[in-house]
Amino acid sequence: MWRIERRHEEFPGTVTLALRREGHLEVPALPGQFNMLYAFGAGEVAISLSGPSAPSSDPLIHTIKSQGFATQALCRLPVGAQLGVRGPFGHGWPMLDGSHRPLVIIAGGLGLAPLRPLIYRFLQGQLPARSLQVFYGARRPQEMLYREELPAWGKSFELVTSVDHADTNWNGHVGVITDPLRVSAVNVKEALVLLCGPEIMMRFCIQVLRHKGVPASSIYLSMERNMKCAIGLCGHCQWGPHLVCRDGPVFCYQDVCKWFQINGL
Amino acid sequence: MKNIASLLHEHPFFHGLSGGDLNFLATCAENSRYKEGEYLAKESAPANHFFLIRSGRVAVETFVPNHGPLCLMTLQDGDIFGWSWLYPPYLTAFDARALSPVRCLRLGGKCLREKCESEPRLGFELMKRFARIATERLQAARIQLLDVYGPHPSQNPVQRRPHL
């Protein structure tokens, strides 16, 4: 049985939980994969891994936004509470395979969570990337994830943050994340671009990336659909010919671009 | 020391214009600097200038009663600010405040209008450049309006505010 070891409220309605199963070695999980978290009596929901910071026996980290019945129940759980965990499931982010390409990460809102393990790996020298650029967009400064970590990240690699709305206390960029992306110097021939965020935000970012000349084969994105069984049996997360839980949630844009353009799919 | 025409040439807004055109426009331009917190332009004031930001960051703001200034967008190196000098009543629509020390080229609006009128080919070229940037900013504003990171991004933003 899993217990909550730590609980951190990122901002009202969004918490990060550290989960540990006493006496057991953790199942190795890859950045981009997800677990099914079960709040007893409420239900089960797919949540991406946002940690651990190192592939070791550290607790599993999940960042959860309180939206539906199950996520509300998970967000209310206190430290020490029990919950069920199945996983990890799905295909994670491509791990560069020693190619030392420049890595570009574009995250929106809660979409930073599944990309955070990759950022940790880069910081620990475990990711064979030549460089890292991170573009992170959020609604307001108060609704940014991992705010205490962002200043240190900004000293270690190029970090561009942008919010849609801000008062005069915010000294960063205000506007949609596509603005700084459009004017940024991205190595379009070599860069590997990883995207995660609201689907509409990813669509506009892909437009900018394609306009800049980034090949579709160099863009990877994490899709979100209603995943129930997580093992490709129930069909709830069907997306064109794919089942997001089994074939994703990370897809290469080249493989899914024709499904990506169909409204309502 | 670089002359104004070469500084204009370095700014992305004027990329690709001929030396002759840049020299023609350079007589409207001057180098200017703003300290952090200083205003480049104020809402409802005469729109006398067009700004090409060379370095620094600028907030485009509006004052909301009972709330204070609200930042609508930020601009940086390579961006432009101000096209209200193009059309009557030639009044600035928003405040522009320096968030850091800003170096920019400031072009006289009246001077630019006269140059565009006297040289329609150049005027049309500049209008195309303004239209592209205005379109990009309109698209960005529409995406902001979608509130994609909000709790119900798929809802029509107008429907969410029935009092509108």
Side-chain angles (χ1 to χ4, degrees):
Chain A
M1 196 56 64
W2 294 76
R3 287 186 187 276
I4 295 176
E5 186 177 271
R6 293 192 309 273
R7 180 184 186 280
H8 173 67
E9 186 170 86
E10 301 288 341
F11 51 85
T14 300
V15 299
T16 295
L17 303 178
L19 312 177
R20 190 180 288 282
R21 187 168 56 168
E22 294 298 337
H24 290 77
L25 288 175
E26 312 308 349
V27 181
L30 294 170
Q33 287 189 302
F34 66 94
N35 279 322
M36 298 299 291
L37 303 188
Y38 181 34
F40 300 122
E44 196 182 42
V45 64
I47 305 288
S48 291
L49 285 139
S50 55
S53 56
S56 65
S57 60
D58 285 351
L60 296 177
I61 311 291
H62 290 280
T63 300
I64 306 164
K65 185 175 186 177
S66 174
Q67 275 184 317
F69 196 57
T71 52
Q72 282 172 20
L74 287 166
C75 286
R76 280 198 301 265
L77 291 176
V79 171
Q82 292 184 334
L83 73 165
V85 177
R86 287 196 296 133
F89 295 113
H91 294 281
W93 300 107
M95 297 301 284
L96 297 170
D97 300 328
S99 57
H100 292 275
R101 295 168 73 176
L103 187 63
V104 178
I105 283 177
I106 306 168
L110 212 63
L112 184 59
L115 289 156
R116 188 167 70 153
L118 271 185
I119 294 173
Y120 285 146
R121 291 199 178 192
F122 176 82
L123 292 173
Q124 291 155 4
Q126 295 172 353
L127 199 63
R130 191 189 312 161
S131 62
L132 175 63
Q133 289 173 290
V134 175
F135 297 85
Y136 178 39
R139 195 182 190 201
R140 298 185 300 139
Q142 298 86 342
E143 295 182 27
M144 300 186 94
L145 293 180
Y146 320 127
R147 272 182 289 165
E148 64 280 8
E149 296 177 48
L150 296 179
W153 289 2
K155 291 175 187 162
S156 303
F157 51 80
E158 185 187 342
L159 173 67
V160 179
T161 54
S162 180
V163 296
D164 280 356
H165 310 284
D167 59 22
T168 50
N169 295 323
W170 168 253
N171 206 27
H173 185 84
V174 178
V176 289
I177 196 66
T178 47
D179 289 341
L181 184 61
R182 186 178 287 114
V183 297
S184 67
V186 171
N187 182 342
V188 296
K189 284 187 181 161
E190 293 185 82
L192 184 69
V193 183
L194 311 181
L195 267 164
C196 188
E199 202 166 313
I200 191 165
M201 165 244 162
M202 294 200 288
R203 222 170 63 213
F204 287 118
C205 287
I206 288 170
Q207 282 178 14
V208 173
L209 292 167
R210 298 289 288 136
H211 185 73
K212 284 173 95 76
V214 178
S217 58
S218 295
I219 302 172
Y220 285 78
L221 49 113
S222 182
M223 292 299 294
E224 190 177 340
R225 284 293 183 273
N226 187 14
M227 292 186 264
K228 290 290 185 191
C229 73
I231 50 175
L233 291 178
C234 74
H236 274 87
C237 62
Q238 184 170 0
W239 183 47
H242 305 289
L243 294 170
V244 173
C245 70
R246 185 193 63 193
D247 306 324
V250 175
F251 293 93
C252 178
Y253 180 63
Q254 187 176 39
D255 300 333
V256 295
C257 53
K258 73 175 171 182
W259 313 113
F260 207 71
Q261 304 298 337
I262 298 174
N263 290 345
L265 198 60
Chain B
M1 191 166 165
K2 291 176 181 172
N3 61 23
I4 294 287
S6 58
L7 291 176
L8 287 176
H9 177 70
E10 283 176 5
H11 196 279
F13 183 78
F14 285 122
H15 276 179
L17 282 192
S18 70
D21 286 340
L22 292 172
N23 285 329
F24 183 60
L25 293 169
T27 55
C28 294
E30 61 182 356
N31 237 328
S32 59
R33 290 168 184 265
Y34 293 86
K35 294 177 192 157
E36 182 180 336
E38 216 174 337
Y39 283 86
L40 285 72
K42 289 287 279 181
E43 184 177 327
S44 301
N48 293 329
H49 296 109
F50 163 52
F51 299 89
L52 303 164
I53 302 169
R54 295 176 56 211
S55 67
R57 293 164 39 76
V58 174
V60 180
E61 298 176 340
T62 191
F63 187 84
V64 179
N66 300 320
H67 177 85
L70 198 69
C71 182
L72 303 169
M73 67 182 301
T74 51
L75 305 171
Q76 58 193 357
D77 319 8
D79 283 329
I80 66 164
F81 174 78
W83 44 62
S84 301
W85 52 269
L86 261 171
Y87 44 84
Y90 310 117
L91 295 175
T92 304
F94 298 107
D95 295 334
R97 184 172 59 91
L99 293 172
S100 65
V102 168
R103 287 191 307 154
C104 61
L105 288 166
R106 198 168 69 170
L107 286 86
K110 185 167 182 290
C111 176
L112 264 182
R113 275 201 311 272
E114 288 169 358
K115 299 259 186 203
C116 291
E117 295 286 357
S118 69
E119 188 60 68
R121 179 198 53 79
L122 176 61
F124 179 60
E125 180 58 38
L126 293 185
M127 289 313 111
K128 283 194 289 185
R129 292 168 187 237
F130 280 119
R132 185 180 60 79
I133 292 172
T135 304
E136 284 174 1
R137 291 196 188 167
L138 178 63
Q139 286 171 348
R142 283 172 169 164
I143 300 171
Q144 269 178 299
L145 193 64
L146 286 172
D147 195 17
V148 294
Y149 309 122
H152 305 289
S154 56
Q155 265 189 310
N156 184 323
V158 175
Q159 287 173 351
R160 283 210 306 272
R161 288 175 287 168
H163 59 280
L164 287 179

